[in-house]
Amino acid sequence: MVAALQRVRQRIAIAAERAGRDPATVRLIAVTKGVDAARVDEAIAAGARDIGENRVQEASAKRAQVGGAATWHLIGHLQTNKARRAAGIFDVVHSVDSERIARALSADRSAARPIAVLIEVELTGIAGRTGARPDAVAELARGMAAMEDLQLKGLMTIAPPVADPSEAKPFFSRLRSLRDELGHDLGLPLPELSMGMSRDFEAAVEEGATMVRLGTALFGGMPLA
Ligand SMILES: *Cc1c(COP(=O)(O)O)cnc(C)c1O
């Protein structure tokens, strides 16, 4: 685990330097869906500080078993009826794509502090993908900025699977421009860009990712849905 983390950090650092960025501005989120609690603890002991899960149910059981301290990120699609529970488990939710979800998260008074959220933006046009459409993001962000228990931090996207990771770059740069425009129009600092997975994280770092979400690159195996 230590070696896998080191290898990935090294690759992040090289990509960051290529783009003239400080590697310390890129947070590595270890995606542990399908990985058992013992291995999550191992990852935390090896230096992982951020844990990503895509299902509320799985994360809830795991978080109760994991002893090590970490920041927990929900990266998968969230349903309204699970929002309350999610707000109690996660520190950061990357996948808000509707005002309904945002409201459901913000309404949770059991969260001891405001929950950090990102808007997931769907830029690929692939049928069935979740995420807010780019032309809906400004209105959603405006609504969310007014919700007291939410802290809107930025945007998230999932690039399409492409043969060459460099082909994912236009999607990442599109997310960055959208974030820049939004920040400007709303007068809000939106520091976070959650983009890049095992297959394309170096391209994402070159385009400004502040959070990369890595499962397979750290834990091996086939990527899960
Ligand atoms: C599973 C998942 C990842 C990590 O995927 P890998 O290809 O294993 O790195 C990243 N983001 C989301 C939203 C995921 O569901």
Side-chain angles (χ1 to χ4, degrees):
M1 193 69 242
V2 173
L5 269 169
Q6 256 170 12
R7 259 196 314 273
V8 159
R9 287 220 169 95
Q10 180 74 19
R11 288 174 61 187
I12 291 172
I14 290 168
E17 275 154 22
R18 219 164 24 229
R21 302 184 56 204
D22 175 0
T25 60
V26 183
R27 243 154 112 184
L28 165 59
I29 300 176
V31 176
T32 54
K33 63 188 180 202
V35 171
D36 65 27
R39 287 188 81 200
V40 178
D41 263 324
E42 214 183 293
I44 293 171
R49 289 290 162 263
D50 292 273
I51 299 297
E53 286 279 340
N54 69 337
R55 292 203 178 87
V56 175
Q57 188 88 17
E58 181 180 341
S60 168
K62 224 179 274 182
R63 185 156 194 181
Q65 293 169 338
V66 168
T71 300
W72 287 67
H73 300 254
L74 178 63
I75 60 173
H77 184 64
L78 181 59
Q79 285 159 336
T80 319
N81 63 359
K82 303 238 174 78
R84 195 186 169 75
R85 189 139 175 242
I89 298 167
F90 292 99
D91 306 293
V92 186
V93 174
H94 293 227
S95 46
V96 176
D97 62 0
S98 72
E99 178 142 351
R100 251 180 83 187
I101 294 283
R103 271 199 199 294
L105 279 171
S106 83
D108 188 289
R109 299 290 164 178
S110 74
R113 55 206 152 84
I115 185 161
V117 292
L118 309 179
I119 295 176
E120 178 177 354
V121 189
E122 207 305 283
L123 297 171
T124 68
I126 296 172
R129 279 213 175 174
T130 56
R133 301 296 174 262
D135 60 3
V137 171
E139 194 186 330
L140 178 56
R142 211 165 279 123
M144 287 166 68
M147 296 180 197
E148 281 182 4
D149 297 340
L150 294 190
Q151 268 176 2
L152 180 58
K153 296 282 201 184
L155 303 180
M156 178 271 222
T157 203
I158 303 173
V162 286
D164 179 337
S166 70
E167 293 168 38
K169 281 189 169 187
F171 297 90
F172 299 141
S173 65
R174 176 99 196 274
L175 193 74
R176 191 188 58 216
S177 333
L178 206 55
R179 185 277 311 265
D180 292 348
E181 282 165 30
L182 207 58
H184 179 264
D185 293 352
L186 299 181
L188 275 182
L190 295 173
E192 304 290 357
L193 286 172
S194 169
M195 54 191 200
M197 309 167 44
S198 296
R199 63 179 183 232
D200 55 20
F201 68 95
E202 286 145 314
V205 167
E206 289 178 25
E207 293 300 325
T210 62
M211 298 177 175
V212 293
R213 311 177 306 265
L214 305 181
T216 322
L218 288 172
F219 299 102
M222 293 295 290
L224 302 172

